[in-house]
Amino acid sequence: MAKRGKEFYNRYFARQSRFSILPPEDKYLFRISPKYKFNIIGSGMMGIEHLRTTYLEGRALIHGIYDPNPKSVTATQNVLSQIDPEQKLKIYDTLENACKDPDVDGLIISTPNFSHISVIKEAIKSEKHILLEKPMATTIPDAYEIYKIAEDYPSVFQVGLQYRYKAMYVEAIQEALINKRLGDIKMINISEYRFPFLDKVNQWNKFNQYSGGTLVEKCCHYFDLMNLFAQSKPKKVYATGNMAVNFKEFEYNGRKSDILDNAVVSLDYENGVRASFNLCMFSPQFYEELTICGDEGYLHSYENIDYLPGTKPKTYLELKLGEESNSRISQPCYPKYIEESGHSGATFFEHKYFIDTIEGKETSVATAKDGLWSIVIGYAAQKSIDLGIPLIIQDLLKEFSLNI
Ligand SMILES: NC(=O)c1ccc[n+]([C@@H]2O[C@H](COP(=O)([O-])OP(=O)(O)OC[C@H]3O[C@@H](n4cnc5c(N)ncnc54)[C@H](O)[C@@H]3O)[C@@H](O)[C@H]2O)c1
């Protein structure tokens, strides 16, 4: 059987309970032999997605977790018991012990944003491979410090900006950047319409101080994509936004939420590319859209999750090349079980490429430099809203004595 077929059948069938009757020696297609062991630091919603995805990908297992919240620990144990009833998670009592365990090859850090900087400073002592959730940090100085740490890090240091692996963006990257079918890219627009920020452990995402602000916390994904498509550094940012609908009455430990729920961000890049980003977080459905126009063509793509019955496609991509070449309409997708494993399959490919990079293969994973630039834009946009003026990125960086 070709390698490709074997991998496909492994993932799809291997963990179905109807095959649990098979003795180990009868498992060929369904044999799973993980080579790597990872620990999860911070096992909330995203930590559990990382756990599920690790087992679906198949080349690694989760050895243990460190999380100070007992409910997160129990929930993670419960999820693992459904995936592999034989395996018991090691529960660490300190961050240090979770990081330095010699049995483990890599660390997946999915703690709240504000804690990334302190967790990373402990994690790097291990020199193990690291997958650090986005946003890398909540401020530009912390993000810069992590970027410098990652530059000299002796193992893989990957940042969790995995939206670039959603099928719609993979195809857009292929057409716009690799095949260059749009010619020179001139304009980029991304929009996100979605529901409010979800509940979190200690509700850290309702406060700018802990999340970095909405445009850093969530929108770093989109600024990373814009940076990728623009292939340049941001020059000027102007943004407007406010808290129009969500969490206006929300209080936690006597403190009122201060996050914005809508914004319009416009960006000039150093190479002349113009970009804009629209965010609305009080939409009853999820809709994410990308439009890119170059001097030879136009690309429009969306992802739509609206919870309504019907047969509307979940994704759509059109490439319009006018009279010059063939146009194309498609529905980019992955197998259903991969899409359902989290973030439309993007997290699965983030794991696949994390392990590929560990194994020395060439990948296009998000680096700490990508993480830094996505935060620079988010931070600048937040500040532009606060001040009501456009910001020149290099002037902003000078305020932190940075020249990057
Ligand atoms: N890449 C993505 O698409 C994506 C999606 C969602 C969340 N995230 C990111 O993942 C991270 C976690 O988000 P979440 O949604 O899972 O939040 P969450 O609140 O559901 O989970 C966070 C967990 O971290 C634990 N924790 C807090 N401080 C800790 C510490 N110092 N050490 C160890 N554990 C600690 C909490 O007890 C909790 O269980 C955030 O950085 C978030 O931005 C990324």
Side-chain angles (χ1 to χ4, degrees):
M1 166 90 45
K3 185 169 172 261
R4 210 186 169 113
K6 179 172 180 278
E7 283 183 357
F8 172 79
Y9 286 113
N10 255 339
R11 288 189 182 119
Y12 187 56
F13 291 120
R15 295 204 177 273
Q16 292 186 8
S17 55
R18 62 195 165 125
F19 297 114
S20 59
I21 48 152
L22 288 168
E25 62 276 18
D26 287 345
K27 288 192 176 178
Y28 172 67
L29 281 181
F30 308 159
R31 193 173 57 233
I32 299 171
S33 0
K35 238 166 100 180
Y36 303 99
K37 290 180 183 171
F38 299 148
N39 276 348
I40 292 178
I41 317 290
S43 193
M45 190 217 81
M46 200 57 204
I48 289 177
E49 182 168 316
H50 283 302
L51 179 134
R52 286 186 195 282
T53 311
T54 300
Y55 286 88
L56 179 63
E57 202 281 338
R59 283 180 289 173
L61 56 77
I62 300 301
H63 185 69
I65 58 173
Y66 170 65
D67 193 310
N69 177 24
K71 286 200 167 159
S72 298
V73 172
T74 309
T76 313
Q77 285 171 317
N78 289 342
V79 171
L80 180 63
S81 69
Q82 287 156 20
I83 298 171
D84 185 351
E86 313 270 297
Q87 201 211 317
K88 295 280 166 279
L89 279 176
K90 185 162 179 181
I91 309 300
Y92 297 92
D93 54 351
T94 65
L95 172 64
E96 187 191 352
N97 288 341
C99 293
K100 72 178 188 197
D101 188 336
D103 288 340
V104 167
D105 306 290
L107 305 170
I108 298 175
I109 299 169
S110 42
T111 60
N113 304 351
F114 68 95
S115 61
H116 290 174
I117 180 81
S118 60
V119 172
I120 271 296
K121 284 181 183 169
E122 184 60 46
I124 54 164
K125 293 181 195 163
S126 71
E127 302 199 346
K128 295 181 195 302
H129 305 297
I130 289 178
L131 172 55
L132 169 63
E133 260 309 338
K134 60 52 39 184
M136 218 162 72
T138 52
T139 65
I140 291 180
D142 285 354
Y144 184 76
E145 192 175 347
I146 293 176
Y147 157 64
K148 293 310 277 180
I149 286 171
E151 249 188 352
D152 302 321
Y153 196 60
S155 302
V156 174
F157 194 112
Q158 185 175 324
V159 175
L161 289 163
Q162 89 282 36
Y163 276 30
R164 50 175 77 191
Y165 301 129
K166 285 189 180 194
M168 69 182 258
Y169 294 122
V170 169
E171 209 163 317
I173 289 167
Q174 180 67 37
E175 295 295 12
L177 299 181
I178 299 169
N179 300 343
K180 297 191 186 302
R181 296 200 75 201
L182 310 179
D184 285 339
I185 292 173
K186 300 292 181 191
M187 294 193 74
I188 304 163
N189 172 264
I190 297 182
S191 299
E192 186 188 32
Y193 291 82
R194 57 163 281 171
F195 36 75
F197 275 133
L198 301 176
D199 285 344
K200 297 286 161 190
V201 177
N202 297 327
Q203 297 288 13
W204 58 267
N205 61 350
K206 308 303 177 303
F207 301 96
N208 290 328
Q209 183 190 355
Y210 303 128
S211 70
T214 303
L215 295 176
V216 171
E217 145 57 14
K218 175 72 224 257
C219 307
C220 60
H221 278 304
Y222 303 110
F223 299 135
D224 177 53
L225 286 161
M226 282 181 177
N227 292 342
L228 255 183
F229 286 116
Q231 299 276 291
S232 179
K233 286 199 267 186
K235 186 171 138 193
K236 190 163 110 184
V237 173
Y238 177 63
T240 60
N242 68 4
M243 180 193 256
V245 177
N246 303 337
F247 305 118
K248 292 180 111 171
E249 310 294 321
F250 180 92
E251 273 191 33
Y252 193 74
N253 290 338
R255 191 170 167 190
K256 278 177 150 313
S257 171
D258 58 359
I259 49 165
L260 52 83
D261 60 15
N262 71 98
V264 177
V265 181
S266 79
L267 269 159
D268 288 356
Y269 279 90
E270 286 180 356
N271 64 357
V273 169
R274 286 198 170 71
S276 65
F277 172 68
N278 296 333
L279 175 73
C280 171
M281 298 190 69
F282 39 88
S283 166
Q285 70 166 44
F286 178 90
Y287 181 77
E288 191 174 309
E289 180 183 64
L290 165 75
T291 308
I292 311 177
C293 215
D295 55 8
E296 290 175 17
Y298 161 98
L299 183 147
H300 176 71
S301 184
Y302 69 71
E303 183 182 82
N304 178 66
I305 306 170
D306 59 14
Y307 311 112
L308 300 175
T311 53
K312 201 167 160 189
K314 190 184 158 210
T315 60
Y316 175 88
L317 185 141
E318 65 186 11
L319 182 68
K320 293 184 177 171
L321 301 177
E323 296 177 351
E324 298 303 317
S325 186
N326 62 304
S327 295
R328 189 159 65 81
I329 293 177
S330 64
Q331 290 178 20
C333 56
Y334 295 124
K336 206 158 174 267
Y337 56 93
I338 288 184
E339 292 203 345
E340 285 170 357
S341 67
H343 290 86
S344 306
T347 310
F348 175 88
F349 284 93
E350 170 180 53
H351 278 250
K352 174 175 166 18
Y353 297 136
F354 183 49
I355 297 178
D356 283 353
T357 317
I358 291 171
E359 296 189 340
K361 293 183 192 144
E362 206 178 309
T363 58
S364 58
V365 296
T367 62
K369 193 174 183 186
D370 298 324
L372 169 65
W373 280 110
S374 70
I375 290 171
V376 167
I377 299 178
Y379 186 96
Q382 290 275 154
K383 190 161 178 182
S384 171
I385 292 173
D386 291 344
L387 300 177
I389 54 168
L391 293 183
I392 304 296
I393 294 294
Q394 285 305 326
D395 292 347
L396 176 67
L397 293 175
K398 273 188 209 133
E399 287 177 26
F400 301 109
S401 309
L402 297 178
N403 181 14
I404 41 176

